[in-house]
Amino acid sequence: EKFEELKKNQSSVSFDMTFGTKNNEPLQLGVKWEYVKIGDSFVVFGKAFTVSEDSMLKYFESENRKYVFNNYITLAEQVSQRITSNLVKYIDPQDVFNVRICVREIIINSIEHGNLNIDYETKTKLRSTSGGYFSFLQERQNNPNYKDKRVTVWYFLKSDRVSFLIKDEGKGFDHKKLLADNAENANLHFLSHGRGIFMTKNTFDVIRYNQTGNKVLLIKYFKS
């Protein structure tokens, strides 16, 4: 349909499309085709791109959203991008970047260590072999014991704060020990998971887990 539209208007068309990564995960991108006439025929130049900043941002004040998704790492990237994109209205780009990285890491932890029940030792061992970890990850994603588990993310943005509530359907973990550890212990004992939580401690004003450890509330207040 879009190709027929392009031939008719002989200009350009834009649309969203789901691509597949090399690890067979879905990746939502914007697509633009441009019509270029050459003699009696034509060629089409196409490009795919991540969604750009909303041109209506200057009118933006607040929003809240809920996302429920399955255990694809690419979705952690896309969701974290989406729910931090409007923060530039209230905080500087470096702070936005820090928040985005932290949210992405927490979502990835919810997928890998929560829903897919991959422990740190297994992940470390498999990542030392070429392609080993991604093959194992795909097996877990398709495993009947794990494939129906979902990550839920609630996002609330107001002029004075942003909040994220991230929940998985895993068995949880000892969050009290991780939150009490310093950076050196996090690096030594908990690999990227520990470092991610340590970075989150330094980015957000509130980090509050439920008793089980499979739900966390993150709040960052904006300085006036």
Side-chain angles (χ1 to χ4, degrees):
E1 292 176 354
K2 289 296 180 180
F3 189 70
E4 292 302 320
E5 180 184 340
L6 180 69
K7 289 196 298 181
K8 182 178 179 179
N9 66 33
Q10 298 187 10
S11 177
S12 66
V13 293
S14 298
F15 54 96
D16 293 336
M17 183 174 176
T18 301
F19 291 80
T21 70
K22 64 180 181 181
N23 298 314
N24 296 318
E25 294 193 350
L27 179 62
Q28 189 77 12
L29 296 174
V31 176
K32 183 175 183 179
W33 288 342
E34 294 186 4
Y35 181 102
V36 180
K37 187 171 178 59
I38 300 180
D40 295 330
S41 186
F42 68 95
V43 295
V44 177
F45 290 109
K47 64 178 180 178
F49 50 89
T50 55
V51 178
S52 60
E53 180 180 331
D54 188 353
S55 61
M56 300 294 289
L57 184 61
K58 63 182 178 180
Y59 305 110
F60 174 84
E61 287 191 2
S62 65
E63 69 177 339
N64 63 82
R65 290 174 176 265
K66 177 183 177 181
Y67 293 86
V68 181
F69 49 94
N70 50 12
N71 301 298
Y72 293 120
I73 302 302
T74 51
L75 291 177
E77 177 67 29
Q78 292 180 81
V79 171
S80 61
Q81 287 274 356
R82 172 59 191 88
I83 63 179
T84 58
S85 60
N86 287 333
L87 292 181
V88 294
K89 173 82 172 185
Y90 300 114
I91 57 178
D92 65 63
Q94 183 59 54
D95 286 337
V96 174
F97 176 79
N98 292 339
V99 170
R100 180 176 299 151
I101 293 299
C102 291
V103 170
R104 184 186 67 186
E105 289 299 311
I106 296 298
I107 293 175
I108 290 175
N109 287 339
S110 294
I111 291 173
E112 294 181 333
H113 305 307
N115 286 347
L116 300 182
N117 195 29
I118 302 173
D119 60 63
Y120 315 113
E121 292 78 11
T122 299
K123 180 176 179 179
T124 303
K125 181 179 179 180
L126 290 171
R127 291 187 70 172
S128 65
T129 61
S130 178
Y133 179 67
F134 288 108
S135 296
F136 181 78
L137 186 65
Q138 289 178 36
E139 290 177 7
R140 280 294 171 97
Q141 289 168 338
N142 295 313
N143 187 309
N145 294 323
Y146 307 112
K147 68 176 184 178
D148 293 328
K149 293 185 177 182
R150 297 293 183 261
V151 175
T152 303
V153 177
W154 291 267
Y155 152 65
F156 310 91
L157 176 59
K158 298 170 61 178
S159 60
D160 64 339
R161 76 191 69 177
V162 63
S163 306
F164 306 94
L165 185 61
I166 302 168
K167 177 181 180 297
D168 63 66
E169 298 177 1
K171 60 184 180 181
F173 72 105
D174 186 2
H175 53 89
K176 293 180 180 179
K177 178 172 177 56
L178 272 180
L179 291 175
D181 264 324
N182 56 31
E184 182 179 352
N185 286 339
N187 281 323
L188 181 62
H189 298 299
F190 296 102
L191 305 175
S192 60
H193 182 72
R195 291 197 299 272
I197 289 183
F198 179 79
M199 183 170 60
T200 303
K201 287 169 59 178
N202 284 274
T203 300
F204 286 88
D205 299 295
V206 174
I207 304 176
R208 186 180 303 139
Y209 279 91
N210 65 349
Q211 186 66 31
T212 303
N214 65 350
K215 181 192 292 186
V216 61
L217 172 66
L218 308 174
I219 302 175
K220 182 175 181 61
Y221 296 102
F222 305 145
K223 297 179 181 179
S224 56

Short mmCIF file of all heavy atoms in Angstrom, two decimals, residues 14-55:
data_model
loop_
_atom_site.label_atom_id
_atom_site.label_comp_id
_atom_site.label_asym_id
_atom_site.label_seq_id
_atom_site.Cartn_x
_atom_site.Cartn_y
_atom_site.Cartn_z
N SER A 14 6.12 7.99 4.67
CA SER A 14 6.73 7.61 5.94
C SER A 14 5.79 6.69 6.69
O SER A 14 4.56 6.85 6.62
CB SER A 14 7.02 8.85 6.79
OG SER A 14 7.94 9.71 6.15
N PHE A 15 6.34 5.72 7.39
CA PHE A 15 5.53 4.78 8.15
C PHE A 15 6.41 4.08 9.17
O PHE A 15 7.64 4.17 9.12
CB PHE A 15 4.86 3.77 7.22
CG PHE A 15 5.82 3.03 6.32
CD1 PHE A 15 6.31 1.78 6.66
CD2 PHE A 15 6.23 3.59 5.11
CE1 PHE A 15 7.20 1.10 5.83
CE2 PHE A 15 7.11 2.92 4.27
CZ PHE A 15 7.60 1.68 4.64
N ASP A 16 5.79 3.40 10.13
CA ASP A 16 6.50 2.60 11.13
C ASP A 16 6.51 1.14 10.70
O ASP A 16 5.55 0.66 10.08
CB ASP A 16 5.85 2.72 12.51
CG ASP A 16 5.99 4.12 13.08
OD1 ASP A 16 6.93 4.84 12.68
OD2 ASP A 16 5.15 4.49 13.92
N MET A 17 7.57 0.43 11.05
CA MET A 17 7.69 -0.97 10.64
C MET A 17 8.51 -1.74 11.67
O MET A 17 9.43 -1.18 12.29
CB MET A 17 8.37 -1.05 9.27
CG MET A 17 8.50 -2.46 8.72
SD MET A 17 9.17 -2.42 7.02
CE MET A 17 9.30 -4.17 6.70
N THR A 18 8.15 -2.99 11.88
CA THR A 18 8.89 -3.84 12.80
C THR A 18 9.93 -4.64 12.03
O THR A 18 9.60 -5.40 11.12
CB THR A 18 7.95 -4.80 13.54
OG1 THR A 18 6.98 -4.05 14.27
CG2 THR A 18 8.74 -5.68 14.51
N PHE A 19 11.20 -4.44 12.37
CA PHE A 19 12.31 -5.18 11.79
C PHE A 19 12.73 -6.30 12.74
O PHE A 19 12.29 -6.35 13.88
CB PHE A 19 13.50 -4.25 11.55
CG PHE A 19 13.27 -3.24 10.46
CD1 PHE A 19 12.54 -2.08 10.69
CD2 PHE A 19 13.80 -3.44 9.19
CE1 PHE A 19 12.32 -1.15 9.70
CE2 PHE A 19 13.60 -2.51 8.18
CZ PHE A 19 12.86 -1.36 8.44
N GLY A 20 13.58 -7.18 12.26
CA GLY A 20 14.14 -8.22 13.11
C GLY A 20 15.63 -8.02 13.27
O GLY A 20 16.33 -7.72 12.30
N THR A 21 16.13 -8.14 14.50
CA THR A 21 17.56 -8.03 14.73
C THR A 21 18.24 -9.35 14.39
O THR A 21 17.59 -10.36 14.13
CB THR A 21 17.86 -7.68 16.19
OG1 THR A 21 17.54 -8.82 17.01
CG2 THR A 21 17.04 -6.48 16.65
N LYS A 22 19.57 -9.37 14.44
CA LYS A 22 20.30 -10.60 14.15
C LYS A 22 20.04 -11.67 15.19
O LYS A 22 20.31 -12.85 14.95
CB LYS A 22 21.80 -10.32 14.04
CG LYS A 22 22.44 -9.82 15.33
CD LYS A 22 23.92 -9.57 15.13
CE LYS A 22 24.59 -9.08 16.41
NZ LYS A 22 26.03 -8.82 16.21
N ASN A 23 19.50 -11.26 16.37
CA ASN A 23 19.16 -12.23 17.41
C ASN A 23 17.67 -12.56 17.42
O ASN A 23 17.15 -13.06 18.41
CB ASN A 23 19.58 -11.67 18.78
CG ASN A 23 21.07 -11.45 18.86
OD1 ASN A 23 21.86 -12.29 18.47
ND2 ASN A 23 21.47 -10.29 19.36
N ASN A 24 17.00 -12.24 16.29
CA ASN A 24 15.58 -12.57 16.11
C ASN A 24 14.67 -11.88 17.11
O ASN A 24 13.64 -12.44 17.52
CB ASN A 24 15.36 -14.09 16.17
CG ASN A 24 16.06 -14.82 15.04
OD1 ASN A 24 16.04 -14.36 13.90
ND2 ASN A 24 16.70 -15.93 15.36
N GLU A 25 15.04 -10.65 17.52
CA GLU A 25 14.17 -9.86 18.37
C GLU A 25 13.54 -8.75 17.55
O GLU A 25 14.14 -8.26 16.59
CB GLU A 25 14.96 -9.26 19.54
CG GLU A 25 15.49 -10.29 20.51
CD GLU A 25 15.99 -9.67 21.80
OE1 GLU A 25 16.09 -8.42 21.85
OE2 GLU A 25 16.25 -10.40 22.76
N PRO A 26 12.31 -8.32 17.88
CA PRO A 26 11.65 -7.26 17.11
C PRO A 26 12.25 -5.89 17.41
O PRO A 26 12.63 -5.61 18.55
CB PRO A 26 10.19 -7.34 17.59
CG PRO A 26 10.29 -7.87 18.99
CD PRO A 26 11.45 -8.83 18.97
N LEU A 27 12.34 -5.04 16.40
CA LEU A 27 12.86 -3.69 16.55
C LEU A 27 11.98 -2.74 15.76
O LEU A 27 11.92 -2.81 14.53
CB LEU A 27 14.31 -3.60 16.06
CG LEU A 27 14.98 -2.23 16.15
CD1 LEU A 27 15.06 -1.78 17.60
CD2 LEU A 27 16.37 -2.27 15.53
N GLN A 28 11.27 -1.87 16.45
CA GLN A 28 10.36 -0.93 15.81
C GLN A 28 11.13 0.32 15.36
O GLN A 28 11.81 0.96 16.16
CB GLN A 28 9.25 -0.52 16.78
CG GLN A 28 8.13 0.29 16.14
CD GLN A 28 7.17 -0.56 15.34
OE1 GLN A 28 7.21 -1.78 15.43
NE2 GLN A 28 6.31 0.07 14.57
N LEU A 29 11.03 0.64 14.08
CA LEU A 29 11.72 1.79 13.52
C LEU A 29 10.78 2.58 12.61
O LEU A 29 9.81 2.05 12.09
CB LEU A 29 12.95 1.37 12.70
CG LEU A 29 14.08 0.67 13.44
CD1 LEU A 29 15.13 0.19 12.44
CD2 LEU A 29 14.73 1.60 14.46
N GLY A 30 11.10 3.85 12.43
CA GLY A 30 10.43 4.63 11.43
C GLY A 30 11.09 4.41 10.07
O GLY A 30 12.28 4.14 10.00
N VAL A 31 10.31 4.47 9.00
CA VAL A 31 10.82 4.25 7.65
C VAL A 31 10.38 5.41 6.76
O VAL A 31 9.24 5.87 6.85
CB VAL A 31 10.30 2.92 7.06
CG1 VAL A 31 10.77 2.74 5.61
CG2 VAL A 31 10.77 1.74 7.91
N LYS A 32 11.30 5.87 5.90
CA LYS A 32 10.94 6.89 4.92
C LYS A 32 11.45 6.47 3.56
O LYS A 32 12.62 6.11 3.41
CB LYS A 32 11.53 8.25 5.30
CG LYS A 32 11.12 9.37 4.34
CD LYS A 32 11.62 10.73 4.80
CE LYS A 32 11.14 11.83 3.87
NZ LYS A 32 11.61 13.17 4.31
N TRP A 33 10.56 6.47 2.56
CA TRP A 33 10.92 6.22 1.17
C TRP A 33 10.81 7.52 0.38
O TRP A 33 9.84 8.26 0.54
CB TRP A 33 9.99 5.19 0.54
CG TRP A 33 10.17 3.79 1.03
CD1 TRP A 33 11.24 3.26 1.68
CD2 TRP A 33 9.23 2.72 0.88
NE1 TRP A 33 11.04 1.94 1.95
CE2 TRP A 33 9.81 1.58 1.47
CE3 TRP A 33 7.97 2.61 0.31
CZ2 TRP A 33 9.17 0.35 1.51
CZ3 TRP A 33 7.31 1.40 0.35
CH2 TRP A 33 7.92 0.27 0.95
N GLU A 34 11.79 7.77 -0.48
CA GLU A 34 11.75 8.95 -1.34
C GLU A 34 11.80 8.53 -2.81
O GLU A 34 12.61 7.68 -3.20
CB GLU A 34 12.92 9.88 -1.02
CG GLU A 34 12.84 10.49 0.38
CD GLU A 34 13.91 11.52 0.63
OE1 GLU A 34 14.68 11.81 -0.32
OE2 GLU A 34 14.00 12.03 1.76
N TYR A 35 10.94 9.11 -3.62
CA TYR A 35 10.80 8.80 -5.04
C TYR A 35 11.74 9.72 -5.84
O TYR A 35 11.72 10.93 -5.68
CB TYR A 35 9.36 9.03 -5.45
CG TYR A 35 9.02 8.74 -6.89
CD1 TYR A 35 8.37 7.56 -7.24
CD2 TYR A 35 9.32 9.64 -7.91
CE1 TYR A 35 8.02 7.28 -8.56
CE2 TYR A 35 8.98 9.38 -9.23
CZ TYR A 35 8.34 8.20 -9.55
OH TYR A 35 7.99 7.93 -10.85
N VAL A 36 12.59 9.11 -6.68
CA VAL A 36 13.51 9.88 -7.52
C VAL A 36 13.33 9.42 -8.97
O VAL A 36 13.61 8.26 -9.30
CB VAL A 36 14.98 9.70 -7.08
CG1 VAL A 36 15.90 10.51 -7.98
CG2 VAL A 36 15.15 10.12 -5.63
N LYS A 37 12.88 10.33 -9.82
CA LYS A 37 12.63 9.99 -11.22
C LYS A 37 13.94 10.02 -12.00
O LYS A 37 14.73 10.95 -11.89
CB LYS A 37 11.64 10.99 -11.83
CG LYS A 37 11.18 10.62 -13.24
CD LYS A 37 10.05 11.52 -13.70
CE LYS A 37 9.62 11.19 -15.13
NZ LYS A 37 9.17 9.79 -15.27
N ILE A 38 14.18 8.97 -12.79
CA ILE A 38 15.37 8.88 -13.64
C ILE A 38 14.91 8.48 -15.04
O ILE A 38 14.53 7.33 -15.28
CB ILE A 38 16.38 7.86 -13.09
CG1 ILE A 38 16.85 8.26 -11.70
CG2 ILE A 38 17.57 7.73 -14.03
CD1 ILE A 38 17.84 7.30 -11.09
N GLY A 39 14.91 9.44 -15.95
CA GLY A 39 14.45 9.17 -17.32
C GLY A 39 13.00 8.74 -17.33
O GLY A 39 12.13 9.42 -16.77
N ASP A 40 12.73 7.59 -17.93
CA ASP A 40 11.38 7.08 -17.99
C ASP A 40 11.05 6.17 -16.80
O ASP A 40 9.96 5.58 -16.74
CB ASP A 40 11.16 6.30 -19.29
CG ASP A 40 11.28 7.20 -20.51
OD1 ASP A 40 10.96 8.40 -20.38
OD2 ASP A 40 11.71 6.70 -21.57
N SER A 41 11.99 6.04 -15.89
CA SER A 41 11.78 5.15 -14.75
C SER A 41 12.03 5.93 -13.45
O SER A 41 12.06 7.17 -13.45
CB SER A 41 12.71 3.94 -14.85
OG SER A 41 12.42 3.02 -13.83
N PHE A 42 12.20 5.22 -12.34
CA PHE A 42 12.47 5.88 -11.06
C PHE A 42 13.19 4.89 -10.13
O PHE A 42 13.18 3.68 -10.34
CB PHE A 42 11.17 6.35 -10.41
CG PHE A 42 10.26 5.24 -9.95
CD1 PHE A 42 10.30 4.78 -8.65
CD2 PHE A 42 9.37 4.64 -10.84
CE1 PHE A 42 9.47 3.76 -8.23
CE2 PHE A 42 8.53 3.62 -10.44
CZ PHE A 42 8.58 3.17 -9.12
N VAL A 43 13.83 5.45 -9.11
CA VAL A 43 14.40 4.63 -8.04
C VAL A 43 13.83 5.14 -6.72
O VAL A 43 13.30 6.25 -6.63
CB VAL A 43 15.95 4.71 -8.02
CG1 VAL A 43 16.54 4.11 -9.27
CG2 VAL A 43 16.42 6.14 -7.81
N VAL A 44 13.94 4.29 -5.70
CA VAL A 44 13.44 4.64 -4.37
C VAL A 44 14.60 4.61 -3.39
O VAL A 44 15.30 3.59 -3.27
CB VAL A 44 12.34 3.66 -3.90
CG1 VAL A 44 11.90 4.01 -2.48
CG2 VAL A 44 11.17 3.69 -4.86
N PHE A 45 14.82 5.73 -2.71
CA PHE A 45 15.80 5.79 -1.64
C PHE A 45 15.05 5.60 -0.31
O PHE A 45 14.07 6.28 -0.05
CB PHE A 45 16.53 7.13 -1.63
CG PHE A 45 17.46 7.30 -2.80
CD1 PHE A 45 17.16 8.19 -3.82
CD2 PHE A 45 18.65 6.58 -2.87
CE1 PHE A 45 18.01 8.35 -4.90
CE2 PHE A 45 19.51 6.73 -3.95
CZ PHE A 45 19.19 7.62 -4.96
N GLY A 46 15.51 4.67 0.49
CA GLY A 46 14.84 4.40 1.76
C GLY A 46 15.80 4.45 2.93
O GLY A 46 17.00 4.19 2.79
N LYS A 47 15.28 4.82 4.08
CA LYS A 47 16.08 4.78 5.30
C LYS A 47 15.19 4.41 6.48
O LYS A 47 13.98 4.67 6.47
CB LYS A 47 16.76 6.12 5.56
CG LYS A 47 15.83 7.29 5.82
CD LYS A 47 16.63 8.56 6.11
CE LYS A 47 15.70 9.75 6.37
NZ LYS A 47 16.46 10.98 6.69
N ALA A 48 15.79 3.78 7.46
CA ALA A 48 15.10 3.44 8.70
C ALA A 48 15.77 4.20 9.84
O ALA A 48 16.99 4.39 9.83
CB ALA A 48 15.16 1.93 8.95
N PHE A 49 14.99 4.61 10.82
CA PHE A 49 15.54 5.47 11.87
C PHE A 49 14.71 5.33 13.13
O PHE A 49 13.53 4.94 13.10
CB PHE A 49 15.53 6.93 11.40
CG PHE A 49 14.21 7.39 10.87
CD1 PHE A 49 13.25 7.95 11.71
CD2 PHE A 49 13.89 7.25 9.52
CE1 PHE A 49 12.02 8.35 11.23
CE2 PHE A 49 12.66 7.66 9.02
CZ PHE A 49 11.72 8.21 9.88
N THR A 50 15.34 5.64 14.26
CA THR A 50 14.60 5.69 15.52
C THR A 50 13.73 6.93 15.52
O THR A 50 14.02 7.92 14.85
CB THR A 50 15.56 5.73 16.72
OG1 THR A 50 16.45 6.83 16.57
CG2 THR A 50 16.37 4.44 16.82
N VAL A 51 12.66 6.88 16.29
CA VAL A 51 11.70 7.98 16.30
C VAL A 51 12.37 9.24 16.85
O VAL A 51 13.03 9.22 17.88
CB VAL A 51 10.48 7.62 17.16
CG1 VAL A 51 9.50 8.79 17.22
CG2 VAL A 51 9.79 6.40 16.59
N SER A 52 12.20 10.34 16.15
CA SER A 52 12.84 11.60 16.55
C SER A 52 12.03 12.31 17.63
O SER A 52 10.92 11.93 17.97
CB SER A 52 12.98 12.52 15.33
OG SER A 52 11.71 12.80 14.80
N GLU A 53 12.62 13.35 18.16
CA GLU A 53 11.98 14.12 19.23
C GLU A 53 10.65 14.70 18.75
O GLU A 53 10.51 15.19 17.64
CB GLU A 53 12.91 15.26 19.65
CG GLU A 53 12.35 16.12 20.77
CD GLU A 53 13.32 17.23 21.16
OE1 GLU A 53 14.53 17.02 21.00
OE2 GLU A 53 12.84 18.29 21.60
N ASP A 54 9.67 14.67 19.64
CA ASP A 54 8.34 15.16 19.34
C ASP A 54 8.38 16.68 19.14
O ASP A 54 8.82 17.42 20.01
CB ASP A 54 7.40 14.80 20.49
CG ASP A 54 5.95 15.10 20.19
OD1 ASP A 54 5.67 15.71 19.14
OD2 ASP A 54 5.11 14.73 21.02
N SER A 55 7.90 17.13 17.97
CA SER A 55 7.91 18.56 17.69
C SER A 55 6.94 19.33 18.58
O SER A 55 6.99 20.56 18.65
CB SER A 55 7.55 18.79 16.22
OG SER A 55 6.25 18.29 15.95
#
